[in-house]
Amino acid sequence: AKSAETAVVFVGNNPFINAKETIDRVDIVLPPAQQALIQAVRAVNPNTVVVIVGSYPFAVNWENAHVPSILFTSHSAQELGHAVTDVLFGDYNPAGRLNMTWYQSVDQLPDIMDYDIIKGKRTYQYFDGEVLYPFGHGLSYTTFEYSDLALDRAAIGQDGEVQISFDVRNAGNIAGDEVPQLYVRIGQSRVPRPLKTLKGFTRLHLQPGETQRVTFALKAEELAFWDVTRDRYCVESGEYTVMVGPSSDEIALTATLQVDGETVPPRSLREPVRAVNYDDYEQVFLDECREGGECIRLKSERGWIAFRDVELGEGASRFEARVSGNLKGGEIAVTLDSPDGESVITCKILPDRKSVV
C-alpha cells in the first residue's frame, strides 16, 4: 500500500451472512478488522480510497474524517467490478443518492424494537440531530448551482395544485448527473409533523455550463395526513415551506405556499373513541385484539394514552372501556390536562372481567 500511487480498500458485508433476516447487527460500525485495515493503509498512504460494498448504512466516522475518498455501492451482479472501476478511474461520473439516513452511531437511534419514527425521532423526517450522511446525499465529480425558484401561484385550496420551477446549472468542467429534490413542511399543525418530507425528485444530465429548468407539480392532496380524531385523511390549512436542493440536509432554495384546507375540529365524544387513535402515549404498545382490530397493551405495570383537544360539550358523566385479554386486574384512571393531572374518575378492573363502567 505504501508503494502504490493510490490504495483502494474494499470493505462491507456479506449479505448471506451479516445482518440478514432474523440476524440483526449489534452495532452499525464496520467490523473491527476492517476498521484496522483501513487505518493501517491510510497511515502509510494518504491517497487511500475506501469502497464500501454493503447492504445498509455504516457509521464510518473515522473514515469520513481521515480518508479523502469514500465510494458506497450496494451488492450487484457480475459487472459490479467493472462499474466501480469506471467510477474510480473517472470514466463515469457517479450520481447515486442515499435512500437512507446514515447516523453517526447507535446512540442516535431508539431501541431496535421501537417502531414509532415520530416519537423516536427516526429518519430524516423527524431526526433533529447531526447525522453522518443525510437522506438524499451523494457527491459528483462536478458541481451544480440552484437558482430562480418560482411558484405559479401563492395559494391553493385542498383540491388545488401548484407548479414549482427552478434552474439547475452544471458549474463544473465535466458532464454529470444531478438529482434535484423537492421537500415540504408545514409551519403549524395540530399534531407533530415532519421537519421535511420528500415530495418529488428527478435526474438531469447536464453538460459543463448547461442550465436546465426543472418543474415539479405538487397537489394539495399530497400534503394530507391521517387525522386520528376523525379516522380520515386531512389537508390542513396553513403556511407550507417549499424547499429544493441536492439532499434533505442541503436546501438551496425555499418559498412559501398558503394552503386553504381544513382546521381539525376538537375531538368529539359523541361516538366511541378507539384507544389506538390517541395523540400521545407512554409505556404502551399496539397489539392485535382477540375480538378483531387493534388494542393497547402495557409494556410495564403502568402506562398512559392521551387524547388532546377533547370536546366535552355540556359535560361527561359516564366512562366505559372495553378490556380484553388475560387480566390480572388493575385500574383505569381518567385525568385532565396531563397524566399526573386531576383525576376525575377511577375504574377498578376485577380479574378476568371483560369490561368496566
Side-chain angles (χ1 to χ4, degrees):
K2 183 177 182 179
S3 61
E5 178 181 343
T6 301
V8 183
V9 183
F10 282 80
V11 296
N13 74 287
N14 185 325
F16 300 105
I17 299 175
N18 309 115
K20 60 180 183 177
E21 187 174 2
T22 75
I23 301 178
D24 297 317
R25 290 190 288 172
V26 297
D27 208 324
I28 60 174
V29 297
L30 288 169
Q34 294 186 9
Q35 290 179 311
L37 176 62
I38 294 171
Q39 294 176 12
V41 173
R42 176 62 179 83
V44 298
N45 193 331
N47 296 322
T48 296
V49 177
V50 171
V51 179
I52 303 174
V53 183
S55 308
Y56 34 66
F58 293 91
V60 284
N61 296 282
W62 187 92
E63 292 78 7
N64 182 63
H66 297 87
V67 175
S69 182
I70 300 175
L71 176 66
F72 172 77
T73 176
S74 60
H75 300 277
S76 189
Q78 291 89 338
E79 287 297 309
L80 177 61
H82 289 152
V84 170
T85 302
D86 287 344
V87 172
L88 292 178
F89 281 87
D91 297 325
Y92 178 78
N93 191 355
R97 298 294 181 266
L98 294 180
N99 61 355
M100 293 175 284
T101 301
W102 285 42
Y103 297 93
Q104 294 185 15
S105 74
V106 292
D107 295 337
Q108 294 182 322
L109 295 168
D111 184 83
I112 193 171
M113 296 303 294
D114 184 349
Y115 295 102
D116 188 342
I117 69 170
I118 299 176
K119 197 162 186 174
K121 294 187 176 182
R122 297 264 287 274
T123 78
Y124 78 94
Q125 295 187 86
Y126 298 98
F127 186 73
D128 55 6
E130 184 177 349
V131 300
L132 181 61
Y133 302 121
F135 173 85
H137 171 76
L139 300 180
S140 168
Y141 291 147
T142 187
T143 58
F144 300 92
E145 296 175 350
Y146 289 67
S147 63
D148 196 21
L149 176 63
L151 279 57
D152 71 337
R153 61 200 64 193
I156 57 173
Q158 60 182 348
D159 297 322
E161 179 178 311
V162 61
Q163 300 289 319
I164 302 164
S165 302
F166 54 94
D167 289 336
V168 178
R169 175 178 176 268
N170 184 345
N173 298 319
I174 61 173
D177 288 9
E178 173 65 324
V179 183
Q181 300 159 39
L182 169 68
Y183 296 89
V184 178
R185 70 164 177 261
I186 187 173
Q188 298 293 326
S189 175
R190 181 193 175 276
V191 298
R193 299 288 289 275
L195 301 171
K196 58 177 71 76
T197 301
L198 181 70
K199 292 300 179 183
F201 66 93
T202 190
R203 188 177 179 121
L204 312 173
H205 182 77
L206 299 175
Q207 296 297 323
E210 182 183 1
T211 298
Q212 185 168 327
R213 190 74 176 168
V214 179
T215 299
F216 289 115
L218 178 66
K219 295 182 178 180
E221 63 186 28
E222 297 182 55
L223 306 174
F225 76 103
W226 185 256
D227 176 17
V228 295
T229 70
R230 296 175 293 175
D231 261 342
R232 66 175 177 84
Y233 280 102
C234 166
V235 177
E236 204 171 14
S237 294
E239 186 177 84
Y240 291 73
T241 301
V242 175
M243 300 165 278
V244 295
S247 79
S248 62
D249 196 47
E250 191 177 350
I251 301 301
L253 306 169
T254 63
T256 58
L257 173 68
Q258 189 67 35
V259 177
D260 183 16
E262 297 182 76
T263 298
V264 179
R267 187 190 292 267
S268 173
L269 298 183
R270 294 186 181 91
E271 300 292 337
V273 176
R274 295 197 301 147
V276 295
N277 280 340
Y278 54 71
D279 287 305
D280 199 359
Y281 69 96
E282 192 67 50
Q283 291 299 311
V284 303
F285 65 94
L286 302 180
D287 202 356
E288 294 182 356
C289 178
R290 294 182 177 181
E291 298 178 348
E294 309 88 11
C295 67
I296 298 294
R297 292 194 184 276
L298 289 173
K299 287 185 179 180
S300 57
E301 291 295 317
R302 296 173 61 87
W304 54 262
I305 56 177
F307 299 90
R308 297 197 175 100
D309 195 21
V310 175
E311 177 57 63
L312 296 176
E314 297 179 355
S317 58
R318 186 170 182 265
F319 172 82
E320 180 177 347
R322 188 70 177 166
V323 184
S324 65
N326 297 320
L327 298 176
K328 299 179 182 180
E331 179 179 279
I332 297 178
V334 180
T335 65
L336 300 179
D337 299 327
S338 71
D340 299 324
E342 176 189 356
S343 179
V344 295
I345 189 171
T346 300
C347 304
K348 296 289 185 181
I349 303 174
L350 302 178
D352 298 325
R353 298 294 291 271
K354 296 301 182 185
S355 64
V356 59
V357 177

